[in-house]
Amino acid sequence: MIRAVPPKKPAAKIMKQSVSATSSRASTPPITPKKGNKKLASMTKLAKSTSQSGTATPPRGVVADQRQLDLSGMNLGSKEDVTNVVEEPPKVAIAKEKLIEEVKKTMEAETQKKGLNLVVIGHVDAGKSTLMGRLLYELGRMDEKTKVANERGSNKAGKASFAWAWGLDGTAEERERGITMDIAMQYLSTPHRHITILDAPGHKEFIPNMISGAAQADCALLVVDASTGEFEAGFDRAGQTREHLILVRSLGVTQVVVAINKLDQVSWDQVRYGDICDLLRAFLIQSGFQPSRTKFVPVSAMQGVNLLSRQGDDAKPLRFWYDGPTLVDLLDKLEPPSRDIVAPLRIPISNIFKGQSAGIAVIGRICGGIVQVGERLRALPGDESGIVKMIEVEDKSVEWAASGTACTLHLISIDPVQLSIGTVLCAPSELVSLAMTFTARIIVFDIQIPITPGATVELFHHSRDLPATVSKLISTLDKGSGKVVKSNPRVLSKGLSAEVQISLRTSSLSGSVSTVKSIPIEPFSVNKEMGRILLRRGGETIAAGVVLALVG
Ligand SMILES: Nc1nc2c(ncn2[C@@H]2O[C@H](COP(=O)(O)OP(=O)(O)OP(=O)(O)O)[C@@H](O)[C@H]2O)c(=O)[nH]1
């Protein structure tokens, strides 16, 4: 199904006009950096600046409740400042049942471009940001002026080879270090798809940020450096090519496009391309990806070869042996996942920033249901609620947004101090459950030290990570049937499937005290996206799994 996003218009006309209006928006040629992009850029900067100061991306073991930390750098006013809104709060324009019908119609409209969220992953320096920067340009999302400014700026900084990456890596520190540190969000439009790009950092140090991006993704674009020695480094046990693939699969991503990049560095060697594809194909199958849902494409991000076309001299050596799809052809065929629009509304917050006018703005991907302007939302944990003043999707103001959509909500009449990364917004009549202990079915990764009862771990759930304990080892399970193989095992070693109990801890590995008492979480059987978890320890992902039941 589709991510359905209507244009902003008088609510009464929504039902009649949405299909044509939406389709015309869908075919609108995008493009130059807009006002909204500036806002997004500053928001991204905010996330990055907090990450530089060690707050948004806590070093391993640091308490991950970001509530105070996130808000401290934002100069947010008190509740009075935020809630003292003179203007009338907006009203809900359309009844829920009618809205569901409206959304269904829009989603079924054949002319509607299908939307999806794509996380760009791969080993450090594989060329992810360069590829995305070049693609933005080729598809008309980056204008000539910005391109020239990035070329001049990077040249002046002695980093000419990063000119394309500067289109995504926006902060001074990222540009200085020549690496991506936090997720950068951009939008691309192919003939049949609206794609929200989440450019993830490749450096091991920033894996938590990468997980935050992967948790919001439907599909992944894996970028691999084909240069001699570089592919091998990334594919090594300690490399991020493997780790990123395992992580995205664990978080529910089933479709991957693999871009074998920098082929210009190996003279477009067809044998090298084939060897890399063979190795990756075997690893993808081993990691649980279906061969029919993994596609490979040879490219050079730097030269812009085989992104949109294979024209020009640079592409000549590739034309000798390749006549398959381009990268854009493959992106255009990615299958959007089904969206559960009738499910209870769930919006886990992945970022918070001060709104342009009154109120606070939060970013999140809708994991079920529909949200509309004027709706009152409850924020959990806590007892706060607020009103949706505005919804933005792809920098455009819309009346509603449905499950699967990454959106920015501007909230009023809410105390921002009660919000944090990981807070879940939902309808007051259908609250998300809270728990500090739950059981989960996990798969243990390739770990050296087995998991024992009471093992301290970092629990990753959506964009949040928290100190936790594997409080009980309940049973080991048969991977295929799920039947109990052994009850109360003493340890869990690599490759095992097991049922465990996980409890939040009130202190982190570093000894600081967490204020988190319970988190909004749901069994996988209730809401898939709310029920996925990852466990990390010592900077390594040790297990992934799904929530079975909440204990307390
Ligand atoms: N020759 C060649 N160099 C490339 C190509 N793509 C990227 N590079 C270079 O590889 C280096 C790293 O590129 P980035 O785009 O920053 O890599 P990245 O994967 O985004 O890096 P992180 O996000 O920090 O992991 C830069 O110097 C690029 O110019 C390519 O197709 N050919």
Side-chain angles (χ1 to χ4, degrees):
M1 298 300 281
I2 329 168
R3 171 178 47 181
V5 177
K8 176 98 172 170
K9 57 186 155 328
K13 293 185 187 165
I14 282 182
M15 287 195 74
K16 270 198 221 149
Q17 294 184 357
S18 68
V19 172
S20 58
T22 306
S23 55
S24 75
R25 182 190 70 86
S27 57
T28 310
I31 324 320
T32 48
K34 292 183 291 283
K35 214 167 105 223
N37 281 345
K38 271 191 208 142
K39 184 218 73 194
L40 249 187
S42 65
M43 172 209 89
T44 310
K45 257 188 226 145
L46 173 67
K48 288 174 179 178
S49 64
T50 50
S51 127
Q52 285 156 30
S53 62
T55 54
T57 322
R60 214 182 305 139
V62 170
V63 173
D65 177 14
Q66 299 293 305
R67 185 170 313 190
Q68 285 78 15
L69 303 177
D70 289 328
L71 299 173
S72 59
M74 293 181 199
N75 278 334
L76 292 174
S78 62
K79 177 168 181 156
E80 286 68 41
D81 291 342
V82 176
T83 56
N84 234 346
V85 186
V86 221
E87 60 189 296
E88 273 273 294
K91 298 242 173 6
V92 170
I94 183 166
K96 194 64 180 267
E97 297 69 35
K98 277 196 174 170
L99 183 61
I100 291 174
E101 286 310 306
E102 159 63 23
V103 175
K104 272 189 192 155
K105 268 192 203 162
T106 310
M107 289 165 80
E108 280 156 15
E110 288 202 344
T111 45
Q112 162 83 6
K113 281 196 192 193
K114 296 182 170 43
L116 50 89
N117 301 322
L118 179 86
V119 65
V120 186
I121 56 172
H123 193 63
V124 65
D125 280 351
K128 300 178 285 299
S129 303
T130 304
L131 184 60
M132 287 305 103
R134 182 86 199 215
L135 205 54
L136 284 174
Y137 177 72
E138 302 279 336
L139 289 172
R141 291 286 310 196
M142 185 195 290
D143 63 4
E144 200 62 35
K145 211 171 132 200
T146 311
K147 172 184 171 261
V148 171
N150 286 343
E151 279 169 355
R152 280 212 194 104
S154 57
N155 208 1
K156 210 168 150 196
K159 306 241 174 223
S161 73
F162 288 91
W164 289 112
W166 276 29
L168 280 293
D169 296 341
T171 67
E173 189 174 356
E174 286 183 310
R175 290 178 170 192
E176 164 70 25
R177 291 177 67 179
I179 57 169
T180 306
M181 295 167 71
D182 206 342
I183 295 284
M185 202 193 263
Q186 281 287 355
Y187 305 103
L188 287 182
S189 203
T190 64
H192 303 98
R193 299 284 179 268
H194 270 310
I195 304 178
T196 302
I197 300 279
L198 304 151
D199 182 29
H203 201 287
K204 204 173 171 58
E205 196 186 331
F206 303 113
I207 288 257
N209 295 2
M210 178 268 161
I211 292 174
S212 162
Q216 301 172 57
D218 303 310
C219 320
L221 171 63
L222 171 71
V223 183
V224 172
D225 185 343
S227 334
T228 315
E230 295 303 324
F231 167 72
E232 288 73 12
F235 196 57
D236 185 74
R237 198 183 161 275
Q240 265 59 68
T241 306
R242 278 170 190 264
E243 182 167 22
H244 281 192
L245 277 176
I246 293 173
L247 286 173
V248 293
R249 183 67 198 90
S250 307
L251 288 162
V253 170
T254 55
Q255 290 181 84
V256 188
V257 172
V258 183
I260 313 291
N261 189 31
K262 304 198 193 180
L263 277 164
D264 56 293
Q265 293 278 50
V266 290
S267 314
W268 295 97
D269 183 348
Q270 183 182 4
V271 176
R272 173 81 174 159
Y273 173 74
D275 289 347
I276 292 176
C277 290
D278 290 347
L279 282 167
L280 284 171
R281 201 171 282 121
F283 183 72
L284 282 159
I285 294 171
Q286 191 190 322
S287 308
F289 290 96
Q290 283 177 14
S292 61
R293 293 171 78 84
T294 54
K295 305 284 178 209
F296 295 82
V297 61
V299 296
S300 166
M302 187 64 104
Q303 297 179 339
V305 171
N306 209 27
L307 308 191
L308 205 57
S309 80
R310 283 186 297 279
Q311 282 162 4
D313 285 350
D314 286 337
K316 209 168 163 192
L318 179 63
R319 287 200 295 268
F320 278 121
W321 57 266
Y322 183 82
D323 63 359
T326 62
L327 175 60
V328 170
D329 292 337
L330 292 181
L331 297 181
D332 198 46
K333 290 202 174 67
L334 283 171
E335 222 177 273
S338 58
R339 315 288 193 194
D340 192 354
I341 59 166
V342 291
L345 179 69
R346 302 286 182 254
I347 312 176
I349 295 177
S350 61
N351 212 338
I352 306 171
F353 61 103
K354 190 166 175 1
Q356 281 156 329
S357 55
I360 177 116
V362 300
I363 295 185
R365 176 184 136 101
I366 307 173
C367 297
I370 310 167
V371 63
Q372 65 173 318
V373 170
E375 202 171 342
R376 178 169 285 280
L377 299 182
R378 177 78 186 272
L380 285 165
D383 51 12
E384 274 295 313
S385 65
I387 295 172
V388 181
K389 187 184 171 211
M390 185 167 76
I391 306 173
E392 279 180 281
V393 176
E394 297 184 19
D395 301 338
K396 292 184 183 78
S397 172
V398 296
E399 283 294 328
W400 51 259
S403 181
T405 310
C407 59
T408 303
L409 300 183
H410 295 259
L411 302 173
I412 52 171
S413 309
I414 193 161
D415 182 353
V417 175
Q418 302 301 322
L419 302 178
S420 71
I421 289 172
T423 295
V424 172
L425 301 172
C426 45
S429 57
E430 292 177 307
L431 298 184
V432 63
S433 39
L434 294 167
M436 74 169 298
T437 303
F438 58 90
T439 57
R441 179 179 171 170
I442 59 166
I443 297 276
V444 181
F445 288 176
D446 188 8
I447 52 171
Q448 308 294 322
I449 305 168
I451 301 173
T452 48
T456 50
V457 291
E458 273 175 89
L459 168 69
F460 280 73
H461 180 247
H462 282 290
S463 298
R464 162 181 262 182
D465 55 307
L466 300 140
T469 302
V470 182
S471 41
K472 269 189 208 162
L473 308 186
I474 299 169
S475 55
T476 56
L477 306 168
D478 180 88
K479 271 190 203 159
S481 66
K483 286 200 179 125
V484 173
V485 174
K486 188 178 180 190
S487 296
N488 305 315
R490 281 182 37 238
V491 293
L492 298 178
S493 48
K494 70 175 177 187
L496 281 180
S497 171
E499 183 177 338
V500 297
Q501 179 177 288
I502 295 167
S503 307
L504 300 185
R505 275 183 299 125
T506 45
S507 66
S508 74
L509 297 177
S510 66
S512 46
V513 177
S514 167
T515 53
V516 177
K517 299 282 184 290
S518 55
I519 53 167
I521 192 163
E522 287 180 312
F524 186 75
S525 56
V526 174
N527 183 319
K528 286 190 172 57
E529 293 178 61
M530 291 297 298
R532 282 202 178 93
I533 53 155
L534 286 174
L535 301 180
R536 284 173 59 82
R537 176 178 66 188
E540 204 188 6
T541 308
I542 59 168
V546 297
V547 176
L548 296 176
L550 308 184
V551 178

